[in-house]
Amino acid sequence: MRASLSFLSVAAGLAASVSAQSYTSIPDIQVYGQHFFYTNNGSQFYLKGVAYQQDYSPNGTADTNIKYKDPLADSDGCKRDIPYMKQIFTNVIRVYAIDPTANHDACMEALASADIYVIADMAEPSNSIVSDNPEWDVSLYQRYTSVVDALSKYKNVIGFFAGNENVSADNQTSAAAFVKAAVRDIKGYIHSQNYRNTLGVGYATADVPTRDDLAAYFACEPGNSGNTTQIDFWGYNVYSWCGNSSYSASSYGERVQFFSDYPVPVFFAEYGCNQNIDGGPFQRPFTEVEVLYGNMTDVFSGGIVYEWFESENSFGLVNISDNSVVPNPDFTSLRNQLSTIDPTITQSSDYHPSTDAPACPTTGASWEAVASPLPPSPNNQLCQCMAASLECNVKSDDEKLYADTFDYVCGANSDFCEGIAHNATTGSFGAYGACNPKEQLAWVVNQYYVGNNKASTNCDFSGVATVQSAATSSGCAELLSAAGTAGTGIVASPTGKGTAGATAASSSKSKGAAAPGVSTPAFFEYGSVMFVGYVAVAMMSMVGMIAL
């Protein structure tokens, strides 16, 4: 039977134990070697966390119809839930999607006062990197950087996930390149904006057959990249310990062995299997806690239980009834297990890491993504400069009309489309592959127009395009020169604020097959056999990811 507790009595009972921290004064957490440490005293930090987002399932789909509630903007909900979180010793929450236009001060202050930190995913349901149609484009760059901008001032933010379970099948490994590019660019953005250097960027993976190659890929440092493309931490969504399992039966031991010399911290970004549990899913015994915070601590930095709110998936630790918190039985089980742990605390001054970056996986039958080059950094200024500089441009905003034109032009001459290539298997990337669909099509039709003697009949495409007067605005010449006449050159990463035009929670934009054409040209969904054949032999990678 569930125990119903009085919010007021719990809050009063915990008030004396909650430290008077503010989100401006709480010590931030830094990554050093394989561990996390408090910056104020150098003590090791273990994550004792819970996934905290109501009615949200990061299940690998992208849909404009899915709305979400930003948990960090709900100050009343935060204040209601925090006293109960402290009963299960919570010191970190994971949130899957926030509205960067909302105010988060009240919730972040309440969390800081309770010594609770945050790790935030940067995507949202209608704007994410899609598994079977991967892109790292200007829309996503704006979304990701807007989340960083919104949360960077809070010292109780540990960092961000650039992706979640992007590679969930063997035929999606080339998609990892787009997430690694996102890691590179968000790390670079944090540096360029002079945000604090303790903000980390990581990746969370499912327990998939390619997990070892994935781990190596995200931690490797190809060429002379230093750690610019390396994740800062590795999150593992693991559900192999069900009920009263064991260290060997759950394969926890294998994971400890594999990550024993991994160069960055590793933790469970989700855990808490609810299958085959005596008494039902809300009776999870959480016997894995003793092991996770016991003999695994040389390698693992704790974990985040899935999840706080009860929903249809039956993972909730609590139920919210009439705005009151009603704990489920597994809430008590988790509390009891966590109350007994006593992990060894290492001081950063006594810790001398010696792990090196692993080798990048070799491309072959089981791994498709090249480690270098990665997809180019999305540059909205470049895309706008390009569109303005063309003699033939796209006038229609109806992306459903674009497919036939993409098919025709790229099928007629593949050279016309090299500037929008994004093939992570061969490492072929055009400078304009991260632009929006209208800009990508503009580049393609202009290449066709110029390549066919600039005849006015070659800039129409059934009313989709039209001739215009080319213009090169201030600051454009250098960017366009770097991209080159074929659109295959390398352009410098943007250095300004990334939030111009960023999408918020109410955005109607969507990405991927569920809603064609927002991040990828509509030909991916509507293109003809001719263009599909061209894609297969020339440039486009048709495997991908979802980052939610």
Side-chain angles (χ1 to χ4, degrees):
M1 180 180 296
R2 300 177 185 177
S4 180
L5 301 177
S6 164
F7 169 75
L8 292 176
S9 64
V10 174
L14 289 174
S17 63
V18 174
S19 60
Q21 296 283 5
S22 164
Y23 64 68
T24 61
S25 64
I26 190 171
D28 44 334
I29 305 299
Q30 67 177 349
V31 168
Y32 180 39
Q34 291 180 291
H35 302 311
F36 294 100
F37 294 93
Y38 288 97
T39 54
N40 63 332
N41 59 20
S43 294
Q44 187 176 355
F45 177 85
Y46 289 102
L47 284 77
K48 290 171 282 189
V50 62
Y52 187 67
Q53 190 125 17
Q54 193 166 14
D55 300 324
Y56 188 88
S57 178
N59 60 359
T61 61
D63 190 342
T64 185
N65 296 316
I66 298 177
K67 304 301 178 184
Y68 66 90
K69 181 178 181 180
D70 179 351
L72 300 183
D74 181 10
S75 59
D76 291 338
C78 287
K79 293 172 183 176
R80 175 198 63 212
D81 295 334
I82 286 172
Y84 292 89
M85 290 183 188
K86 294 309 295 182
Q87 287 192 48
I88 55 172
F89 305 93
T90 301
N91 65 5
V92 64
I93 61 172
R94 177 183 179 183
V95 296
Y96 293 95
I98 70 152
D99 177 357
T101 67
N103 188 297
H104 305 102
D105 288 355
C107 183
M108 293 302 294
E109 187 74 4
L111 290 166
S113 295
D115 296 316
I116 296 176
Y117 292 81
V118 173
I119 296 177
D121 291 60
M122 288 184 282
E124 55 107 344
S126 66
N127 200 11
S128 61
I129 303 173
V130 179
S131 291
D132 292 322
N133 195 4
E135 291 279 352
W136 174 233
D137 63 7
V138 292
S139 175
L140 273 168
Y141 181 80
Q142 289 170 343
R143 164 67 196 183
Y144 279 34
T145 54
S146 71
V147 172
V148 174
D149 290 339
L151 298 183
S152 61
K153 71 177 183 178
Y154 305 114
K155 294 183 69 176
N156 54 330
V157 172
I158 295 174
F160 309 93
F161 280 128
N164 181 70
E165 301 186 4
N166 303 86
V167 177
S168 57
D170 289 347
N171 64 349
Q172 295 176 337
T173 57
S174 66
F178 296 88
V179 186
K180 194 172 176 73
V183 171
R184 172 202 64 203
D185 290 341
I186 298 305
K187 289 179 66 167
Y189 183 74
I190 290 170
H191 177 74
S192 72
Q193 299 304 308
N194 294 315
Y195 294 145
R196 55 185 171 85
N197 60 13
T198 53
L199 283 171
V201 182
Y203 176 73
T205 182
D207 197 16
V208 293
T210 56
R211 63 181 184 240
D212 291 355
D213 281 338
L214 275 169
Y217 185 78
F218 279 102
C220 73
E221 301 169 359
N224 298 317
S225 65
N227 70 348
T228 58
T229 69
Q230 182 187 72
I231 52 167
D232 296 312
F233 47 78
W234 181 256
Y236 215 162
N237 301 339
V238 178
Y239 294 91
S240 61
W241 187 303
C242 300
N244 294 302
S245 188
S246 67
Y247 188 66
S248 57
S250 64
S251 299
Y252 276 22
E254 294 178 16
R255 294 175 176 86
V256 170
Q257 183 177 5
F258 176 81
F259 286 106
S260 61
D261 58 354
Y262 203 61
V264 300
V266 179
F267 59 92
F268 287 172
E270 293 176 6
Y271 76 96
C273 173
N274 68 353
Q275 302 297 310
N276 304 315
I277 305 296
D278 291 341
F282 296 116
Q283 301 283 344
R284 291 178 288 178
F286 287 110
T287 50
E288 65 266 47
V289 166
E290 180 183 3
V291 174
L292 178 59
Y293 296 94
N295 58 327
M296 295 177 67
T297 55
D298 284 347
V299 177
F300 278 77
S301 295
I304 297 171
V305 172
Y306 191 80
E307 61 179 327
W308 183 253
F309 297 100
E310 183 178 328
S311 62
E312 293 180 358
N313 60 21
S314 300
F315 277 95
L317 292 172
V318 305
N319 183 48
I320 306 300
S321 178
D322 295 327
N323 205 36
S324 296
V325 179
V326 183
N328 285 319
D330 51 359
F331 175 97
T332 303
S333 298
L334 180 62
R335 180 183 64 195
N336 292 342
Q337 291 287 348
L338 286 168
S339 69
T340 65
I341 65 170
D342 186 24
T344 301
I345 302 296
T346 300
Q347 291 296 125
S348 59
S349 58
D350 297 326
Y351 175 60
H352 306 287
S354 58
T355 53
D356 297 319
C360 298
T362 302
T363 55
S366 61
W367 186 261
E368 296 178 324
V370 296
S372 182
L374 292 173
S377 301
N379 191 319
N380 193 44
Q381 183 185 8
L382 168 69
C383 297
Q384 293 177 345
C385 288
M386 175 268 288
S389 72
L390 305 178
E391 297 175 79
C392 177
N393 205 341
V394 173
K395 66 178 181 179
S396 173
D397 292 321
D398 186 354
E399 293 172 7
K400 294 180 180 179
L401 301 178
Y402 296 173
D404 289 344
T405 305
F406 272 116
D407 284 358
Y408 179 79
V409 174
C410 297
N413 188 336
S414 63
D415 291 345
F416 294 154
C417 296
E418 288 182 350
I420 64 168
H422 48 280
N423 188 329
T425 299
T426 63
S428 301
F429 299 105
Y432 303 117
C435 298
N436 68 42
K438 185 176 182 179
E439 291 163 340
Q440 289 191 45
L441 184 59
W443 170 260
V444 167
V445 297
N446 187 75
Q447 290 291 92
Y448 182 89
Y449 173 71
V450 173
N452 285 279
N453 301 316
K454 299 184 180 181
S456 59
T457 54
N458 291 323
C459 182
D460 182 74
F461 301 99
S462 300
V464 170
T466 187
V467 175
Q468 71 173 17
S469 297
T472 303
S473 302
S474 175
C476 289
E478 185 176 353
L479 294 173
L480 295 173
S481 176
T485 57
T488 56
I490 299 175
V491 181
S493 302
T495 57
K497 279 284 186 182
T499 50
T503 56
S506 60
S507 170
S508 62
K509 284 191 174 184
S510 65
K511 304 175 76 61
V518 172
S519 75
T520 51
F523 56 68
F524 276 106
E525 287 75 36
Y526 298 117
S528 69
V529 173
M530 177 174 65
F531 189 79
V532 170
Y534 160 72
V535 169
V537 299
M539 61 182 67
M540 299 294 185
S541 171
M542 295 298 292
V543 292
M545 72 183 93
I546 176 75
L548 285 178

